[in-house]
Amino acid sequence: MKDDITICGQAHQDTAHDSASKHVTGRAEYTDDLNEPYGLIHAYLGLSQCAHGTITDMDFSETLAHPGVIGVLTAKDIPGINDVSANGKKDDPIFAENTVLFWGQPVFAVIAETRDQARRAAHKARISYDALPHALDPIAARDAGMGYVTEPLTLRRGDADQGMAAAPRRISGRFEIGGQDHFYLEGQIAMAVPGEDDDMTINVSTQHPSEVQHMVAHALQAPSSAIVVNVRRMGGGFGGKETQMNLFACVAAIAAKRWKRAVKIRPDRDDDMIATGKRHDFVVDYEIGFDDAGKIRAVQGDWYARCGFSSDLSGPVTDRALFHADNAYFYPDVRVSSHPMKTNTVSNTAFRGFGGPQGVIVAERMIEEIAYALGRDPLEIRRANLYENGQLTPYHQSVDDQILPRILDELEASSDYQARRQAVLDWNAKRGVIRKGIALTPVKFGISFTATWFNQAGALIHIYSDGSIALNHGGTEMGQGLNIKVAQVVAEAFQCDISRIKITKTTTEKVPNSSATAASSGTDLNGMAALDAANQIKARLVEFVAERWQVTPDAVSFVPGNIMAGDTAIPFTEVIAAAYMARVHLSAAGHYKTPKIHWDRSTGRGRPFYYYAYGAAVSEVSVDTLTGEYIIDRTDVLHDVGRSLNPAIDKGQVEGAFVQGAGWLTTEELWWDDKGRLRTHAPSTYKVPLASDRPRIFNVTLADWSVAAERTIKRSKAVGEPPFMLGISVFEAINMAVASMCDYREPARIDAPATPERVLMAVDRLRG
């Protein structure tokens, strides 16, 4: 290793992703790239062909006769608990037993010498069902009396009924909001390797190694200490690998335990999409009361969610939808309720934003309703209703770090919004086939897990006698740049070159009881834990240097490549070598828990979020009113990430989140037929955004003047989820373009996603 001369990659610097070159050259190793143990066999899932029914017979004779087949696993072959529910409700079986609850539910797994043999044999099984009634969408489930998968929530402040009655103007409506498939590039995959006694090692693509550890332990009737879960990197997650990976890890582990051979399971993309959960789609009934100035007086709303057959994470997801039902706006009197409906569909799960986008977009729909009713620019209505510091949210948390007025001012000016809006109005006045729209939308997003106990993290740092550093933490890398950011924090702490730091795989052997890498909190939590570990080692080094070089501890400092003992600069490597010889402990386990947060769900009050992240986007679109097709002409973004740890990484996160958010609201549509079969289960039928769908002009700027008000890691702010909601600006701009068909007398009220078909139907409706 070269001596430190220049310091590269410390906090607040543009630093390349640690695996960037490996990603683009194909050298990055994912779970499927790991060297396979001798004797590896393969598992493949058999999925139900009934949306709801009683299993009357299972015939595996043809399956077992298929070449290479070793055996079949069903529920009766599970040595422990047949459940992978993330919340302890025991409502999410590994394999269905007597009843299937959605089309595509795992019923069995085939184990064979090759993956192809297991896959082909799985299709030869004959499962018979007595069909039962099924309900696929939340309103149908409500009307059929299906009930909730988990407890609903109501947030209230003031008197919504009285405020609504006193409001000079009132509007009510219904908004249908579609779901979204994660479409991670690397699909679900797990490889289990059995050891002696109860030992089992799982290599898996998961955002939550500790949860996989516990689920496998329960399925095998083994202690968690016997299960090791390893994650080097994921090829994308977006929430789809927070709980959904539990099933695949358990199936591989059960088979490995039974046949005492390593087992790998990797479904086809079709089966992956059919058998795993999505973003929750919602049907929202809302009512707003407002005055002639556009100020909101009262809001009432009911969020009906398609949750699927089990609870999974639907409780916290639907809670967060309510937490963000206000987006950036103060509601003087408010009552909003969640309805987590049980449906005969796959159990929906975490997805970037975790319910927040489905709350934010309703707030923007209500702003749009007010603006059109008053004949005003929606931006005026947004400004009029922004939170002021000291005002309380519907969950009674005070907003004390409001910076949206400055963000809106700067973005309005830098994007030339007013002149461009007038140009759009002038263009549409010509009544041509191509109509344009422009919208500026803000976001206020709360950062922290609403499950308070998840707001903790651990890290482990070793400094070896040659001065090299091994860094491990409980977070998982899925391409978002978590590892490089945490390494930058450690490099700055020791004032060493980042090349000195080896980022090791996430493993439950090193950091126990880790939280999921989710809720945009990966860097906040794991960065702080790593800094705690670094500071412990630094304190020991300060004590050692002070004694060895005969100076006071306050005369010891870390400078680039060296440690100062008074006026004497000692190379970092020399100090480490000497400290080792002096038997100084050069390892530390760090821990962090987020302060100040608390939440009482029973009362709907508390401080669930440590701070808020803010941002805004202006998008301009062109819509073809003969086909319903559209393009995004230009998008300008100004986003708040506090004092960025790595501006290049953060800018990339903003860009990616925006495009993914726009895709959710435009091209990505989930569709089930009347039998309960998901028909959009492959790239041929499910349309993720392409490179050609990005804005033709895409200007992304970070608010470099912003500094987190709370003591976050280096005063940075989370970036993973908040910019996802900036894609709403595209949806709002499309609605404006379509509303021009009736001279803006009423809003377009397009349901999401705004597919060309829906746009065309809205055009025809408003033209008529």
Side-chain angles (χ1 to χ4, degrees):
M1 178 179 293
K2 65 182 178 64
D3 288 334
D4 291 319
I5 299 173
T6 60
I7 302 301
C8 176
Q10 292 191 0
H12 314 303
Q13 295 180 2
D14 287 341
T15 304
H17 191 293
D18 55 291
S19 297
S21 63
K22 296 185 182 74
H23 289 160
V24 298
T25 59
R27 292 183 294 111
E29 289 193 351
Y30 297 89
T31 302
D32 206 27
D33 300 313
L34 299 176
N35 289 328
E36 296 178 348
Y38 176 78
L40 177 80
I41 54 180
H42 296 262
Y44 204 88
L45 294 177
L47 307 180
S48 72
Q49 302 295 298
C50 177
H52 185 204
T54 303
I55 299 174
T56 59
D57 185 56
M58 292 193 291
D59 180 1
F60 297 117
S61 56
E62 290 188 48
T63 297
L64 292 169
H66 190 83
V69 170
I70 296 169
V72 173
L73 291 177
T74 63
K76 64 181 176 58
D77 299 307
I78 298 171
I81 300 172
N82 182 22
D83 180 69
V84 286
S85 57
N87 48 34
K89 289 184 178 291
K90 293 184 170 53
D91 61 352
D92 198 345
I94 298 169
F95 297 126
E97 295 191 52
N98 302 313
T99 304
V100 295
L101 294 169
F102 74 95
W103 193 298
Q105 183 173 3
V107 179
F108 63 92
V110 177
I111 313 301
E113 294 291 346
T114 70
R115 180 179 178 275
D116 183 66
Q117 290 169 337
R119 177 178 175 273
R120 292 179 183 275
H123 291 289
K124 292 187 174 183
R126 299 291 179 261
I127 312 295
S128 301
Y129 310 92
D130 277 344
L132 297 170
H134 61 264
L136 303 177
D137 68 75
I139 301 303
R142 180 196 67 182
D143 295 344
M146 293 278 286
Y148 296 143
V149 295
T150 189
E151 297 75 19
L153 174 68
T154 294
L155 300 179
R156 55 170 57 86
R157 197 197 59 255
D159 188 327
D161 292 328
Q162 183 176 334
M164 196 70 68
R169 293 171 175 257
R170 296 165 64 175
I171 294 175
S172 61
R174 170 171 284 187
F175 190 8
E176 296 185 13
I177 306 162
Q180 186 178 24
D181 189 86
H182 303 87
F183 217 89
Y184 23 66
L185 289 180
E186 175 203 33
Q188 304 279 4
I189 184 169
M191 180 170 68
V193 182
E196 63 182 16
D197 302 324
D198 290 327
D199 291 356
M200 187 70 66
T201 299
I202 314 288
N203 294 289
V204 62
S205 184
T206 181
Q207 295 173 236
H208 200 171
S210 288
E211 185 169 279
V212 169
Q213 178 189 37
H214 298 323
M215 294 300 170
V216 170
H218 295 158
L220 297 182
Q221 279 193 324
S224 291
S225 57
I227 313 301
V228 175
V229 178
N230 297 324
V231 184
R232 175 58 186 94
R233 61 171 61 83
M234 285 170 277
F238 310 116
K241 295 176 180 175
E242 185 172 345
T243 63
Q244 300 294 288
M245 181 49 69
N246 297 337
L247 165 72
F248 300 92
C250 286
V251 170
I254 293 165
K257 185 72 174 179
R258 177 166 176 175
W259 281 283
K260 297 180 174 58
R261 294 171 68 177
V263 176
K264 183 186 286 188
I265 182 170
R266 175 174 60 83
D268 286 351
R269 176 67 66 177
D270 299 75
D271 288 344
D272 190 322
M273 293 182 71
I274 290 168
T276 63
K278 325 292 179 195
R279 179 184 296 283
H280 291 68
D281 37 357
F282 281 77
V283 176
V284 182
D285 292 328
Y286 60 89
E287 185 176 20
I288 43 174
F290 57 100
D291 60 25
D292 292 337
K295 291 278 284 187
I296 294 172
R297 296 286 188 87
V299 169
Q300 297 179 149
D302 290 280
W303 270 252
Y304 294 91
R306 187 205 312 255
C307 295
F309 78 101
S310 69
S311 53
D312 193 78
L313 296 173
S314 291
V317 166
T318 53
D319 285 1
R320 193 177 268 267
L322 300 187
F323 287 140
H324 292 86
D326 57 343
N327 188 21
Y329 313 115
F330 176 64
Y331 301 159
D333 292 298
V334 56
R335 182 179 66 248
V336 289
S337 300
S338 69
H339 302 275
M341 304 306 303
K342 182 175 183 177
T343 55
N344 294 118
T345 52
V346 65
S347 189
N348 283 329
T349 192
F351 200 129
R352 196 174 197 170
F354 204 76
Q358 297 97 310
V360 171
I361 195 170
V362 176
E364 296 307 323
R365 169 57 58 89
M366 291 191 291
I367 291 290
E368 182 186 74
E369 291 272 18
I370 295 170
Y372 279 81
L374 298 176
R376 303 265 294 279
D377 179 352
L379 179 57
E380 296 178 39
I381 308 303
R382 292 185 171 102
R383 286 186 179 278
N385 288 285
L386 287 178
Y387 272 104
E388 297 177 4
N389 282 330
Q391 290 180 326
L392 297 181
T393 64
Y395 44 95
H396 295 258
Q397 176 167 338
S398 176
V399 175
D400 297 318
D401 56 1
Q402 171 68 287
I403 60 171
L404 273 175
R406 179 173 176 179
I407 286 179
L408 294 186
D409 287 347
E410 292 190 5
L411 184 60
E412 182 180 357
S414 65
S415 66
D416 200 18
Y417 169 81
Q418 293 297 343
R420 289 169 57 204
R421 175 176 164 80
Q422 187 58 54
V424 164
L425 294 172
D426 294 343
W427 173 276
N428 291 339
K430 299 175 183 177
R431 301 184 178 278
V433 169
I434 304 299
R435 298 296 176 97
K436 293 182 177 291
I438 189 170
L440 192 162
T441 62
V443 65
K444 170 184 70 69
F445 195 81
I447 303 299
S448 291
F449 286 98
T450 52
T452 304
W453 60 91
F454 278 151
N455 293 286
Q456 61 173 310
L460 181 65
I461 293 177
H462 301 316
I463 302 183
Y464 294 95
S465 58
D466 65 350
S468 62
I469 301 171
L471 166 64
N472 190 272
H473 57 82
T476 54
E477 176 63 54
M478 62 193 89
Q480 81 278 38
L482 171 62
N483 281 346
I484 193 64
K485 283 186 170 183
V486 177
Q488 287 177 267
V489 170
V490 174
E492 182 172 278
F494 289 115
Q495 287 292 294
C496 67
D497 192 286
I498 202 165
S499 64
R500 191 171 291 283
I501 299 172
K502 170 67 175 177
I503 308 167
T504 60
K505 68 178 181 291
T506 305
T507 175
T508 54
E509 280 190 305
K510 291 186 177 180
V511 176
N513 309 316
S514 57
S515 298
T517 303
S520 303
S521 61
T523 302
D524 282 11
L525 296 176
N526 295 286
M528 280 293 211
L531 183 59
D532 177 48
N535 285 338
Q536 292 177 47
I537 298 173
K538 286 177 66 178
R540 297 178 202 142
L541 291 174
V542 167
E543 182 180 359
F544 165 71
V545 169
E547 180 180 352
R548 178 69 173 268
W549 277 271
Q550 295 297 297
V551 296
T552 60
D554 59 4
V556 179
S557 61
F558 288 73
V559 298
N562 297 278
I563 299 178
M564 299 296 297
D567 295 329
T568 303
I570 311 108
F572 181 79
T573 52
E574 183 179 323
V575 173
I576 296 302
Y580 164 72
M581 296 301 293
R583 297 178 293 180
V584 175
H585 185 34
L586 297 174
S587 176
H591 186 262
Y592 174 75
K593 63 178 182 179
T594 309
K596 298 184 179 182
I597 55 175
H598 57 91
W599 168 242
D600 185 344
R601 194 176 189 274
S602 64
T603 62
R605 298 187 177 210
R607 180 181 177 173
F609 305 123
Y610 190 31
Y611 63 87
Y612 295 105
Y614 300 93
V618 177
S619 290
E620 184 176 342
V621 302
S622 295
V623 176
D624 187 328
T625 59
L626 296 181
T627 66
E629 295 174 297
Y630 43 80
I631 59 173
I632 308 172
D633 297 309
R634 175 177 167 181
T635 292
D636 295 76
V637 171
L638 179 59
H639 196 72
D640 160 41
V641 294
R643 190 169 178 230
S644 175
L645 288 173
N646 188 324
I649 293 288
D650 285 348
K651 187 176 180 182
Q653 283 289 288
V654 173
E655 291 170 346
F658 175 88
V659 171
Q660 191 176 46
W664 165 52
L665 295 171
T666 56
T667 68
E668 299 184 50
E669 184 178 27
L670 295 167
W671 188 78
W672 285 262
D673 66 16
D674 57 1
K675 293 182 179 180
R677 297 176 295 184
L678 178 68
R679 305 313 294 259
T680 49
H681 54 76
S684 57
T685 52
Y686 185 80
K687 301 298 185 182
V688 295
L690 305 175
S692 57
D693 293 319
R694 68 184 291 278
R696 298 297 190 269
I697 300 172
F698 198 11
N699 302 315
V700 175
T701 305
L702 303 181
D704 56 9
W705 43 264
S706 175
V707 177
E710 296 293 347
R711 187 176 171 269
T712 59
I713 184 68
K714 304 293 181 182
R715 300 291 182 176
S716 64
K717 286 188 178 183
V719 69
E721 294 173 302
F724 179 94
M725 279 138 286
L726 299 179
I728 293 172
S729 62
V730 173
F731 185 77
E732 289 290 293
I734 291 172
N735 274 265
M736 177 189 176
V738 174
S740 71
M741 300 302 296
C742 66
D743 296 325
Y744 316 104
R745 290 190 301 273
E746 62 176 279
R749 298 189 183 94
I750 302 172
D751 288 326
T755 59
E757 294 85 353
R758 281 185 171 146
V759 169
L760 188 58
M761 287 188 287
V763 166
D764 289 344
R765 172 171 51 83
L766 294 183
R767 179 187 284 130

